[in-house]
Amino acid sequence: MLYIIVDLLSASSLMQIADTGASVSSRVFASQRKDVRWTSAAIGAAFLFNPFTIATCIARPTSVFTNCAILTAVAKAATSDIVPAMLALALSSYLSLYPILLIPPLILLCHDQQTATKPKTIVQVTTTALTTLVSALTALIGVSYVLTGGSWEFLSSTYGVQLLLPDLTPNVGLWWYFFIEMFDSFREFFLGVFWLHLAAYVGGLSIRLRNQPLFVITCLLGIFAIFKPYPSISDTSLFLALLPLYRHVFPLMRYTFFTTSVILYATLLGPAFYYLWIYAGSGNANFFYAITLVWSLGLSVVVADLLFAVLRDEWEVERPDMKGKEVRQI
Amino acid sequence: MPAEEKGALESSATLNDSDGAFDPIDGVVTNVETPKKPPPEPAESVRIRTLVVFSFWAVVIFLGLPIWWKTTAIYRAKLPLKDMMEWADGKACRPVFPLQISIEAPFLQELDAQHLLRTTQHALDDHNDFSAHHLRLQLSQPSQLVNATAHVEGKFAGMGVVGPLEDQEHVALLVRLLPGESGSPPSAILQSYSPTLEVFYPPNQIPSASSTSSPLASFIASKLQEIFAEEQAMIAYILSTGASSASAQTSGSSGLAGHASQNPQPAQTSARESRSSLIKALPADLQANLARRTTRSLKYSPTYHLTFSLFTPGAAPSSWDIENAIEQYLSPLLESLSPISNFTIDTQVQLYASFSPSVRGPEFDPDINAWTLPTEDLSGFINAAEWPLSPSIGGAPTVNFILYVPSADRSPLVVKENRGNSWLIPQWGGVMILNPPASDSLAAQTASHLSDEVLRPAFLTFSHQLLSLLGTPQSPPSLPLRLLTLSRVRSASLLLSASSTLGSLARLTLALPSISIPRAVAVSVDRTLSHLHDACASLREGQFQRALENARIAEAEAERGFFEKSMVGQVYFPDEHKVAVYLPLLGPVGVPLVIWAAKEIKRVWRIWNVGRAGGAGR
Amino acid sequence: MTILALSFLLSSLVVFFASFASASADYHERLLLRPLPPSSLLASFNFRSNASSSSFEQQNFRYFPRSLGQILQHANTRELHLRFSLGRWDAESWGERPWGGTREGGTGVELWAWVEAVSDEEADARWLTLTNALSGLFCASLNFIDSTRTIRPVMSFQPSGHHSNSTIPNLHLLHGALPREPVCTENLTPFLKLLPCKGKAGISSLLDGHKLFDASWQSMSIDVRPVCPEDGSECILEIDQTVDMVLDIERSKRHRDNPIPRPRPAEELICDPTKPYASDEICYPLDSAFDQPWSLSEVFGRPMKGSCPLTESDGEDSEAVCINISDQRGIYSSPGAVEHKYPGGFFRCYKILDDAEFDFVIPKGQSENIPSTPLDHPLLYAERSFTGHGQERGGVQTLLTNPSHDSPVEFVYLESLPWFMKTYLHTLRAKLNNADKNSPSDKESLIKEIYYRPALDRHRGTQLEIRMLVPAASTVTLSYDFEKAVLRYTEYPPDANRGFDVAPAIIKITTPAGKPPLYIRTTSLLLPLPTPDFSMPYNVIILTSTVMALAFGSIFNLLVRRFVAADEVGTSWHLKASKRIAGKIRGLTRRVRRKGKVETEAKVK
């Protein structure tokens, strides 16, 4: 019941985002296809009736709360009231650490979406946002410090688990098998590399897509769903929830059929192979590992393809005559 | 907005550069059929691309490199390799042993005493040919003589054996000149319980101030010589072996560590000269004798663990009066040994102790009507598999003393060749066969219980074995003298072993660049060096007790540094495997990064060139 | 029968207290034989020697083994309990355990000790030295008892020795178990070396590795504890060594001539004539040890070499061999041995000469009406097993049955689980199975107290102590679920697919005051874990890295590249190259054709 409520909350904030239309047009950028959209109701429904979302709701994980917090943060940012957005972001990153990487695009979003007659400068927005975020995080951690009876051990046993991956239980991600098989002397190094790989996209994306911070967020969420330490289908459902906002660039995507089929394939075969390995014992770990590879590959193709489409869209804004022509990248 | 303005400025700056930059593309385009060419790229996107590339690189450089460094670096503490090598080569310190010998002549006038002293000193220096070890005479005031001897007497009365080492540690020997009856040649008595030589001289032999030499002086000199002959020999032997081993190590190390140029020659020379100065001091047989003794004696340690075991093949005797025996026969000796080493004692009784199958076992010899053990069985006498003689836990080495009581039907049991009943196992301990006494009354009560008077001979044997296992010299009959000698010899050998350990540690660090050197090693090396310095200095001042202390600490520290566990903890991982681990991820990721970084740099370079050319043209 | 049982209880208590009596002699040993249904024989050896604490402090060891004593002093261990066990005690048919279970351990090796230390860290360090030294002494891999296998029980163990009040606050109880350790002959040899009489004389001369480890159940124990007599005389340090083994008489007798089991000829079969189908050719084999002939040398493979001369020369302690069998059963013992029958009719002991071989023969039962030795039933039966399937989750359930009809049993249930077995405490259930309805059946009334110490990954295991109660004549099912972790591939043992052993649960039954508590141990469990493919590290590295590199490369290129229309860029190099080649070919053919033309013109001329 609680989880259904949480999902409904996320859906509502998702619909807020959709209503702002930040995905297609903002103060600094407007797509040419801004009229091609789905209604917010449709988007919310697409989220709610997404099989991944339903499965997540049934499994009742805590990541649902993180997702809800992230969506709320995005919604608040899309309506450009900074403080609640940052509070929600603080909550989500307090829950599972990685959303902290969403700060830059969120700040940009807040900045772009403000409708006041004389908008604040980017500096003001950043300062307010950062102060709010830091104070909120310190408050949260301080509270938990008090609750755990005045010991900092909870840090190592909560965020340490996120950072150092002591738990190698199989999931849809790439980390677990890699670090099962990794040699001990290299473990720390590759943990660092994986985290950097996760963090490296933030700067590049938010610079290149300066004008569409909401899309940066979407793209980042997609990347997180693939490359975060303990990914699950709930992260995928979050990414897929934001996907319909970009209905207008779907025609520009190239590998739609391929990606959908790959993801379906992985979705169907993953549980089967997991069953074969763990319960039937007739297959070994490589079965499931291969499926996770396929799954990550498919998702990354989706992200890349969406990125391509959005870039193309932006480029066509720059050169309207190129609409519908074949393009190449140099 | 400042950002926009800056962008505008830059764009105006970069536009003319950019179309200059893209000339070659035009060239490429023109010679293809299609005349259409892409419009010049707007400066904004160029800037953005630069920023994107830069942002990725920033992550790599500012976060990636530190992580790589932090997670895969091996900590190597800085070691003073040069000093260590010098110590190992014996160049840092040349141990000298100046022995203070005080002469008391209560019945001589000051002048005569002085003169006698001088002449004796001359005689000594003439005879002495070993520079590192020389005797220095001094005249001491009768007052301190009195209380010193009083002290000696007191202690003597107190505890049977006296080692008054601490109160007069500077004075190695006390020569007391007492007038004997005239006419007779001078005679000397070495007190066996205190380092004191009493010389009885006929009054008429007092050298007159004019005479340069006197029979009395030469007599005293020769006496002293013979007293300290063995000590000289031992120290000379130790120094020579130490130097030669050091030279051998350095020559080996120069091959190992690959810096053949600097150290071998001096090392060789130092070793050579020291050895040459000693070989003439040591006759061959004496050297062999010393070698045998040093191989037999245990490695020095601040504490030894003595284990006395009673073994018997049957069920009896099952108890012995061990507390009293140790109290009476052993503890005085240990007491006087205490400034050199401490001892812990444990004892055990083991019944049903059978010989190992390798031993043929004793056979009966009718003509001496005793059971005899052939000598070749003595090596296998200790049944290591069956008898619980495991070394006791803890750092101290264990010295085993075994009292074997043969069963009634096998006694008396003696060694076949020399009829002896005790022998010494080098670096391990001693064995004594205790045959039950013949008299029936004693035998009756010996059967079950060994009283302390029965144990007496055994423990005297054990104490002698202990002394020789510790490496004490035999020659001067006075025990305190021997112990003083032992302390000097020990400090010398400790000095050398600590320095050679340092040398091998240095060579290890040079030879294996991939092992980690924790800070603890560096700390202990520093401690070792400082204590070695102190030891050397106090040797030079003739304070042998403090020298021993320092050398002991230095040795311990050196060992700890050398056997640091975490040095070998890190596993060796070959480089090609490292490539196989790194490359699959970092290669594909790195290539586009590098390519685009190169492109950007090229572009910036070209812009710069154009700008300069324009400046030149203008 | 009840009278017999009572009397037997009496007699066995006599033995019990004889062994626990304040040690008058410095050395004492006794072998107690007890036939067990259907055809087994319980032989429990007990050796006890002690040293005065002063001589122990001075390290003058006489009967106390020096090697062990030094280890204890080095590790500041005040009380030590070490167990090597093998097999399973069949409580249903064998009844109460010897020594009330106080002298036995779980399968494998079990060690617990009271270490004197001022802080927990110091205690851990000393525990480490203790385990390392003991592993060297007993040739067992005790040094594998690391922090993940060490627990500090709270309710399950109490020091059995007398400790002065000054030391009590500094005593730390540490407990470790190695269920995987195979107990074997190389553990027996050092065990015998600790005895004053080594296996050379006395009852220890009967101990033989082959027989001992061929037994269907065996347990070696070493207990060291300080004992201070009530009369205030000097305290002594007492070492108590015990070997309990259950031999199958048939099997151990067979071993002599033909080690290979063969079907016995028909005439040797003992048939049960009461069966309806019994006839000359149909035989229902009846195997009961009670009227079967056997002798010491047959069962143990060798006779006993006299008695150890260190024991008391008279009095009860001098009787080295005792047997629990009906007095009406005649026993032929070798000459010189003095038989002493105790009241109660089921207990007799033998005093043995020092230097004469001893053996006795129990002939075939003469008459049918000889009562068989009664067994007193244990207060509690315990069985533990895994539930669930698959390698992701599982459950543990323990059946605790209280056979008595009137009195409930209260006990402490101790589990020490490895860290990779992640228990869910909220799934802990205690269910009353065959309960009459009015009895309390909910968790609260059954479970009195719970001490739970959760596991830390790779640092320490789970420790679960439950003080609970089983009502009379009922069975309680204690169950909880757990999740199986996946380990790094370097953390798996060489035979990873065999599974991981889980230490037995220890049950301490709290008895009425005055009597020592009874102990029961369940069998150990085999836990299968999901295993990765051990041959794959480089493949995994390469594949995963490829996927990540693909994603990174595509996104990076999208970010840094620039869009242009397809017809704006110069055709790429391979098009150009193909064009050039095509042009060359065309030119070549043209030239050839021109040559042909020239020649034809020449002909024309």
Side-chain angles (χ1 to χ4, degrees):
Chain A
M1 192 57 215
L2 167 66
Y3 283 84
I4 296 176
I5 295 170
V6 172
D7 276 347
L8 290 179
L9 281 179
S10 334
S12 68
S13 44
L14 192 58
M15 288 158 73
Q16 287 183 20
I17 302 171
D19 293 334
T20 62
S23 57
V24 288
S25 65
S26 70
R27 198 156 45 72
V28 292
F29 167 79
S31 162
Q32 287 190 328
R33 302 180 170 78
K34 63 168 70 70
D35 43 3
V36 190
R37 310 174 40 186
W38 279 342
T39 67
S40 59
I43 293 174
F47 168 69
L48 283 180
F49 298 112
N50 178 352
F52 290 132
T53 317
I54 296 167
T56 313
C57 179
I58 292 169
R60 290 186 295 171
T62 56
S63 58
V64 169
F65 303 114
T66 313
N67 295 351
C68 181
I70 292 177
L71 280 176
T72 334
V74 176
K76 293 303 176 193
T79 53
S80 169
D81 34 15
I82 305 164
V83 176
M86 282 308 145
L87 288 181
L89 181 65
L91 179 61
S92 61
S93 24
Y94 168 75
L95 285 178
S96 55
L97 192 63
Y98 70 92
I100 201 80
L101 295 173
L102 293 176
I103 300 176
L106 271 178
I107 291 177
L108 291 179
L109 190 59
C110 293
H111 172 257
D112 295 352
Q113 288 296 317
Q114 50 196 344
T115 52
T117 51
K118 59 172 285 294
K120 300 204 200 73
T121 66
I122 186 80
V123 185
Q124 296 167 324
V125 175
T126 317
T127 44
T128 39
L130 286 185
T131 43
T132 325
L133 183 68
V134 170
S135 47
L137 274 180
T138 41
L140 281 170
I141 291 182
V143 166
S144 41
Y145 171 73
V146 172
L147 286 186
T148 51
S151 79
W152 290 112
E153 290 176 359
F154 72 93
L155 286 180
S156 64
S157 50
T158 51
Y159 300 120
V161 171
Q162 289 281 340
L163 286 171
L164 304 177
L165 199 89
D167 181 4
L168 297 168
T169 314
N171 52 33
V172 296
L174 293 171
W175 290 50
W176 61 277
Y177 208 52
F178 188 81
F179 285 103
I180 283 178
E181 302 274 356
M182 176 48 70
F183 307 99
D184 291 341
S185 48
F186 295 106
R187 181 165 277 111
E188 290 77 12
F189 171 69
F190 274 100
L191 281 171
V193 168
F194 275 37
W195 269 107
L196 283 190
H197 172 261
L198 206 53
Y201 294 105
V202 178
L205 280 172
S206 31
I207 290 172
R208 179 71 171 84
L209 289 162
R210 161 73 187 77
N211 297 333
Q212 306 190 47
L214 181 56
F215 177 73
V216 175
I217 293 171
T218 315
C219 199
L220 280 179
L221 286 178
I223 290 170
F224 291 160
I226 309 167
F227 296 117
K228 70 179 268 224
Y230 305 98
S232 69
I233 58 171
S234 70
D235 305 303
T236 318
S237 70
L238 179 59
F239 172 56
L240 294 182
L242 287 173
L243 206 48
L245 295 175
Y246 294 89
R247 165 73 186 80
H248 59 287
V249 297
F250 284 175
L252 298 178
M253 295 172 70
R254 295 171 293 186
Y255 314 117
T256 327
F257 171 72
F258 170 71
T259 47
T260 39
S261 51
V262 163
I263 289 182
L264 278 179
Y265 168 83
T267 316
L268 295 180
L269 277 189
F273 280 176
Y274 187 73
Y275 181 84
L276 279 187
W277 170 32
I278 293 293
Y279 289 98
S282 55
N284 69 357
N286 299 339
F287 282 47
F288 184 64
Y289 169 61
I291 280 302
T292 58
L293 281 183
V294 174
W295 168 263
S296 316
L297 205 54
L299 274 184
S300 51
V301 171
V302 172
V303 173
D305 203 8
L306 188 65
L307 182 59
F308 169 82
V310 168
L311 286 173
R312 169 100 195 252
D313 182 43
E314 196 177 286
W315 178 66
E316 286 178 357
V317 172
E318 177 187 325
R319 298 181 58 186
D321 53 342
M322 281 303 152
K323 197 160 186 178
K325 293 236 181 73
E326 174 192 6
V327 299
R328 176 175 298 144
Q329 292 181 296
I330 61 174
Chain B
M1 296 185 186
E4 307 298 337
E5 293 157 9
K6 192 148 42 65
L9 287 180
E10 278 195 28
S11 64
S12 59
T14 46
L15 252 174
N16 44 10
D17 305 345
S18 63
D19 55 2
F22 282 84
D23 281 344
I25 298 183
D26 307 348
V28 171
V29 173
T30 41
N31 63 7
V32 183
E33 294 84 329
T34 60
K36 266 176 72 182
K37 67 199 243 322
E41 193 175 13
E44 182 65 18
S45 61
V46 176
R47 205 179 100 252
I48 284 179
R49 176 191 301 144
T50 320
L51 283 180
V52 168
V53 175
F54 173 74
S55 73
F56 278 101
W57 271 104
V59 170
V60 169
I61 290 171
F62 295 122
L63 297 176
L65 286 184
I67 283 180
W68 174 75
W69 181 250
K70 205 178 131 300
T71 51
T72 60
I74 304 171
Y75 178 72
R76 285 174 73 89
K78 185 83 186 62
L79 291 186
L81 294 177
K82 189 165 162 302
D83 302 359
M84 294 160 76
M85 278 308 191
E86 278 186 352
W87 274 100
D89 304 343
K91 295 205 295 288
C93 160
R94 189 136 190 292
V96 291
F97 299 87
L99 267 61
Q100 302 281 347
I101 296 175
S102 64
I103 292 183
E104 280 127 17
F107 305 96
L108 281 180
Q109 296 88 336
E110 192 67 17
L111 286 175
D112 296 347
Q114 290 287 357
H115 179 60
L116 178 60
L117 185 144
R118 232 176 288 111
T119 45
T120 321
Q121 185 69 56
H122 283 139
L124 279 176
D125 298 345
D126 297 344
H127 288 102
N128 193 1
D129 48 7
F130 177 38
S131 54
H133 179 283
H134 53 83
L135 312 173
R136 202 179 296 133
L137 300 182
Q138 71 183 18
L139 201 60
S140 74
Q141 307 319 319
S143 63
Q144 84 190 37
L145 148 75
V146 169
N147 57 30
T149 43
H151 191 112
V152 168
E153 300 310 324
K155 281 199 136 190
F156 175 39
M159 42 173 281
V161 177
V162 146
L165 300 166
E166 54 285 341
D167 57 351
Q168 48 178 356
E169 72 173 29
H170 296 55
V171 178
L173 179 64
L174 199 67
V175 178
R176 193 180 305 158
L177 290 174
L178 298 173
E181 69 284 1
S182 61
S184 66
S187 64
I189 303 167
L190 186 62
Q191 285 195 6
S192 66
Y193 286 132
S194 71
T196 310
L197 178 72
E198 288 182 337
V199 177
F200 297 97
Y201 60 93
N204 55 2
Q205 282 193 357
I206 304 297
S208 64
S210 62
S211 67
T212 59
S213 73
S214 77
L216 177 55
S218 52
F219 170 74
I220 296 177
S222 58
K223 261 298 179 192
L224 293 178
Q225 285 286 344
E226 79 180 58
I227 285 179
F228 289 105
E230 181 174 11
E231 173 176 349
Q232 274 200 14
M234 288 176 83
I235 289 179
Y237 174 75
I238 288 173
L239 290 185
S240 66
T241 48
S244 58
S245 63
S247 72
Q249 288 163 353
T250 45
S251 50
S253 80
S254 60
L256 182 65
H259 53 289
S261 58
Q262 58 271 42
N263 58 9
Q265 290 83 354
Q268 300 292 13
T269 50
S270 68
R272 202 179 297 115
E273 58 90 11
S274 58
R275 225 191 280 108
S276 56
S277 74
L278 301 168
I279 292 306
K280 69 175 184 290
L282 291 183
D285 56 347
L286 179 54
Q287 203 162 7
N289 179 10
L290 288 171
R292 223 188 65 249
R293 199 181 302 154
T294 38
T295 47
R296 173 201 295 169
S297 70
L298 287 141
K299 185 174 169 305
Y300 175 79
S301 99
T303 59
Y304 290 101
H305 196 98
L306 308 182
T307 300
F308 295 93
S309 316
L310 169 64
F311 280 91
T312 159
S318 70
S319 75
W320 53 345
D321 196 352
I322 185 65
E323 292 86 352
N324 289 337
I326 289 178
E327 186 52 40
Q328 291 178 14
Y329 310 130
L330 207 62
S331 38
L333 175 63
L334 301 187
E335 188 67 29
S336 56
L337 279 172
S338 57
I340 303 175
S341 299
N342 306 327
F343 297 89
T344 61
I345 302 179
D346 68 1
T347 68
Q348 63 176 341
V349 179
Q350 291 295 333
L351 311 176
Y352 296 99
S354 58
F355 291 128
S356 61
S358 67
V359 178
R360 272 188 282 108
E363 59 260 13
F364 189 70
D365 187 348
D367 49 8
I368 61 171
N369 106 49
W371 295 77
T372 60
L373 275 171
T375 320
E376 61 268 21
D377 276 2
L378 297 188
S379 57
F381 183 83
I382 303 301
N383 186 354
E386 295 278 330
W387 297 3
L389 290 171
S390 57
S392 52
I393 49 184
T398 306
V399 191
N400 286 286
F401 293 107
I402 291 177
L403 183 65
Y404 185 81
V405 179
S407 56
D409 53 352
R410 288 291 185 85
S411 65
L413 180 66
V414 296
V415 179
K416 190 189 192 94
E417 282 67 13
N418 56 4
R419 306 270 183 276
N421 64 350
S422 77
W423 63 93
L424 181 142
I425 302 174
Q427 300 197 355
W428 190 83
V431 182
M432 162 127 190
I433 299 176
L434 180 67
N435 292 307
S439 71
D440 304 343
S441 63
L442 266 176
Q445 54 117 355
T446 307
S448 70
H449 179 82
L450 294 178
S451 63
D452 47 359
E453 59 267 17
V454 177
L455 293 175
R456 179 182 175 77
F459 273 81
L460 294 186
T461 324
F462 286 158
S463 48
H464 284 110
Q465 284 171 340
L466 176 61
L467 279 180
S468 55
L469 280 170
L470 291 182
T472 22
Q474 292 101 338
S475 68
S478 146
L479 182 62
L481 262 186
R482 284 159 67 185
L483 296 186
L484 283 171
T485 309
L486 180 59
S487 69
R488 287 190 278 271
V489 171
R490 281 306 189 190
S491 42
S493 56
L494 278 179
L495 208 60
L496 289 174
S497 72
S499 349
S500 67
T501 315
L502 278 186
S504 19
L505 179 56
R507 266 172 280 110
L508 183 72
T509 41
L510 289 175
L512 300 179
S514 72
I515 67 170
S516 76
I517 298 174
R519 174 157 288 117
V521 176
V523 171
S524 52
V525 165
D526 293 342
R527 279 219 201 90
T528 314
L529 286 178
S530 69
H531 280 291
L532 280 179
H533 278 294
D534 298 352
C536 203
S538 40
L539 271 187
R540 220 172 277 111
E541 298 153 7
Q543 300 169 345
F544 301 112
Q545 278 319 114
R546 197 175 321 138
L548 183 61
E549 290 300 324
N550 286 319
R552 175 188 298 170
I553 301 171
E555 164 76 358
E557 286 293 336
E559 293 293 323
R560 183 181 308 141
F562 189 74
F563 293 108
E564 172 71 36
K565 279 190 218 58
S566 53
M567 276 171 68
V568 290
Q570 193 254 357
V571 293
Y572 172 67
F573 207 80
D575 289 346
E576 54 272 19
H577 287 231
K578 280 182 185 164
V579 170
V581 170
Y582 285 140
L583 205 55
L585 181 55
L586 302 189
V589 168
V591 165
L593 282 175
V594 172
I595 289 176
W596 278 96
K599 280 190 182 176
E600 290 302 315
I601 290 169
K602 209 193 299 171
R603 193 177 62 82
V604 173
W605 172 256
R606 200 183 284 125
I607 293 169
W608 189 65
N609 276 348
V610 171
R612 207 182 44 179
R618 207 176 289 115
Chain C
M1 192 57 198
T2 56
I3 301 157
L4 286 181
L6 276 183
S7 59
F8 170 76
L9 263 177
L10 248 174
S11 57
S12 58
L13 283 187
V14 167
V15 185
F16 203 72
F17 286 121
S19 68
F20 267 98
S22 76
S24 57
D26 276 349
Y27 180 69
H28 162 270
E29 66 180 18
R30 165 165 287 181
L31 164 63
L32 172 62
L33 296 164
R34 182 199 298 176
L36 292 176
S39 78
S40 304
L41 175 73
L42 166 69
S44 71
F45 299 76
N46 176 30
F47 314 90
R48 189 183 67 238
S49 55
N50 43 35
S52 72
S53 57
S54 64
S55 69
F56 182 74
E57 290 309 323
Q58 294 170 355
Q59 304 199 340
N60 296 328
F61 300 107
R62 187 164 168 226
Y63 296 144
F64 198 96
R66 162 180 167 263
S67 43
L68 189 57
Q70 279 187 337
I71 291 174
L72 294 184
Q73 285 176 339
H74 191 72
N76 289 49
T77 308
R78 296 288 165 260
E79 183 170 332
L80 174 87
H81 304 272
L82 178 61
R83 305 280 187 266
F84 301 88
S85 306
L86 206 60
R88 167 177 174 272
W89 176 267
D90 180 7
E92 280 74 6
S93 55
W94 296 344
E96 176 67 50
R97 293 156 183 260
W99 312 105
T102 50
R103 300 290 179 83
E104 79 184 61
T107 310
V109 181
E110 193 175 334
L111 168 73
W112 67 97
W114 276 268
V115 178
E116 183 172 7
V118 292
S119 68
D120 284 0
E121 294 71 22
E122 195 183 15
D124 289 336
R126 287 174 173 171
W127 173 252
L128 194 65
T129 53
L130 177 69
T131 51
N132 286 326
L134 285 178
S135 71
L137 182 57
F138 288 102
C139 310
S141 52
L142 277 162
N143 50 343
F144 285 116
I145 297 184
D146 51 4
S147 67
T148 64
R149 292 199 169 92
T150 302
I151 59 172
R152 297 162 183 260
V154 177
M155 298 182 277
S156 301
F157 295 102
Q158 302 302 329
S160 61
H162 310 100
H163 298 280
S164 67
N165 295 331
S166 60
T167 55
I168 288 282
N170 292 342
L171 286 185
H172 297 256
L173 167 62
L174 293 103
H175 177 283
L178 284 177
R180 185 165 198 157
E181 180 77 3
V183 184
C184 163
T185 317
E186 73 252 21
N187 305 123
L188 177 66
T189 321
F191 184 89
L192 288 180
K193 262 193 208 170
L194 296 184
L195 298 171
C197 283
K198 310 263 180 308
K200 302 268 178 18
I203 60 175
S204 57
S205 62
L206 287 174
L207 282 172
D208 167 24
H210 298 97
K211 293 293 179 186
L212 179 57
F213 299 107
D214 184 42
S216 45
W217 177 81
Q218 69 91 8
S219 164
M220 294 192 293
S221 80
I222 294 179
D223 302 80
V224 181
R225 52 177 199 148
V227 175
C228 295
E230 288 73 7
D231 55 6
S233 59
E234 185 188 20
C235 294
I236 57 172
L237 195 72
E238 173 182 295
I239 176 172
D240 214 324
Q241 291 177 263
T242 309
V243 177
D244 296 326
M245 54 205 280
V246 173
L247 291 164
D248 186 328
I249 294 178
E250 294 294 327
R251 188 179 168 84
S252 37
K253 276 164 71 180
R254 185 182 65 220
H255 253 272
R256 313 288 299 288
D257 39 13
N258 56 344
I260 307 130
R262 297 195 190 85
R264 307 166 69 191
E267 59 272 17
E268 292 184 15
L269 281 179
I270 312 164
C271 297
D272 183 358
T274 62
K275 295 287 178 196
Y277 49 79
S279 75
D280 300 345
E281 59 272 9
I282 306 176
C283 173
Y284 180 78
L286 179 72
D287 49 358
S288 86
F290 296 112
D291 53 0
Q292 242 187 90
W294 56 274
S295 74
L296 265 187
S297 49
E298 269 182 333
V299 171
F300 290 101
R302 52 172 86 164
M304 179 170 155
K305 298 199 195 66
S307 76
C308 184
L310 305 176
T311 52
E312 290 270 312
S313 52
D314 50 6
E316 256 184 20
D317 284 354
S318 67
E319 298 164 345
V321 180
C322 296
I323 176 166
N324 263 333
I325 198 166
S326 161
D327 286 350
Q328 305 164 33
R329 194 84 181 266
I331 296 184
Y332 308 127
S333 63
S334 52
V338 184
E339 187 183 46
H340 171 207
K341 291 185 178 177
Y342 279 78
F346 285 101
F347 193 68
R348 65 178 98 180
C349 291
Y350 288 92
K351 185 174 186 309
I352 298 160
L353 296 185
D354 279 359
D355 46 10
E357 286 205 343
F358 174 74
D359 188 2
F360 62 66
V361 181
I362 295 183
K364 191 164 178 11
Q366 298 87 346
S367 61
E368 287 310 313
N369 55 11
I370 290 179
S372 64
T373 315
L375 300 167
D376 42 5
H377 293 290
L379 296 174
L380 189 74
Y381 296 105
E383 296 171 7
R384 189 180 64 163
S385 59
F386 274 140
T387 59
H389 75 294
Q391 300 187 339
E392 186 179 10
R393 290 189 181 75
V396 173
Q397 84 166 10
T398 315
L399 290 174
L400 301 151
T401 309
N402 178 3
S404 80
H405 296 294
D406 41 13
S407 66
V409 175
E410 185 176 0
F411 57 88
V412 177
Y413 178 88
L414 167 65
E415 283 267 32
S416 158
L417 303 172
W419 65 267
F420 43 78
M421 190 171 159
K422 304 183 171 176
T423 53
Y424 295 136
L425 194 61
H426 71 275
T427 60
L428 184 69
R429 300 263 179 283
K431 201 162 106 291
L432 203 56
N433 291 10
N434 53 348
D436 43 355
K437 294 300 155 283
N438 55 17
S439 70
S441 69
D442 54 345
K443 181 174 167 182
E444 285 64 29
S445 70
L446 292 176
I447 295 184
K448 299 271 183 266
E449 185 180 356
I450 293 184
Y451 176 83
Y452 178 66
R453 191 157 173 266
L456 291 181
D457 282 2
R458 296 178 177 84
H459 291 312
R460 74 178 189 209
T462 308
Q463 174 184 351
L464 176 61
E465 276 182 281
I466 306 173
R467 193 163 59 81
M468 58 187 292
L469 174 141
V470 178
S474 55
T475 299
V476 167
T477 309
L478 189 73
S479 69
Y480 55 86
D481 297 347
F482 63 89
E483 180 184 340
K484 302 176 181 179
V486 182
L487 309 182
R488 298 168 185 163
Y489 90 124
T490 50
E491 290 170 337
Y492 285 93
D495 53 351
N497 289 308
R498 173 184 173 274
F500 292 72
D501 296 80
V502 179
I506 303 171
I507 299 173
K508 171 196 175 192
I509 304 175
T510 52
T511 48
K515 289 174 66 178
L518 307 180
Y519 282 91
I520 299 178
R521 280 169 173 80
T522 64
T523 54
S524 67
L525 293 174
L526 198 56
L527 168 73
L529 285 188
T531 57
D533 184 345
F534 293 104
S535 66
M536 291 247 315
Y538 287 108
N539 314 12
V540 169
I541 291 173
I542 290 171
L543 290 173
T544 310
S545 311
T546 314
V547 170
M548 291 178 69
L550 272 178
F552 179 84
S554 53
I555 294 179
F556 182 76
N557 281 329
L558 280 171
L559 286 185
V560 294
R561 291 208 173 174
R562 162 195 182 201
F563 282 104
V564 291
D567 50 0
E568 287 177 346
V569 290
T571 48
S572 57
W573 59 272
H574 47 84
L575 279 178
K576 277 182 237 148
S578 53
K579 276 211 189 64
R580 202 169 290 125
I581 291 165
K584 278 202 170 56
I585 294 172
R586 216 177 291 115
L588 231 161
T589 46
R590 211 178 288 126
R591 206 173 300 136
V592 171
R593 213 178 287 120
R594 196 177 299 128
K595 257 212 191 101
K597 269 198 193 123
V598 171
E599 285 168 0
T600 48
E601 285 168 6
K603 278 182 188 146
V604 169
K605 283 189 181 169

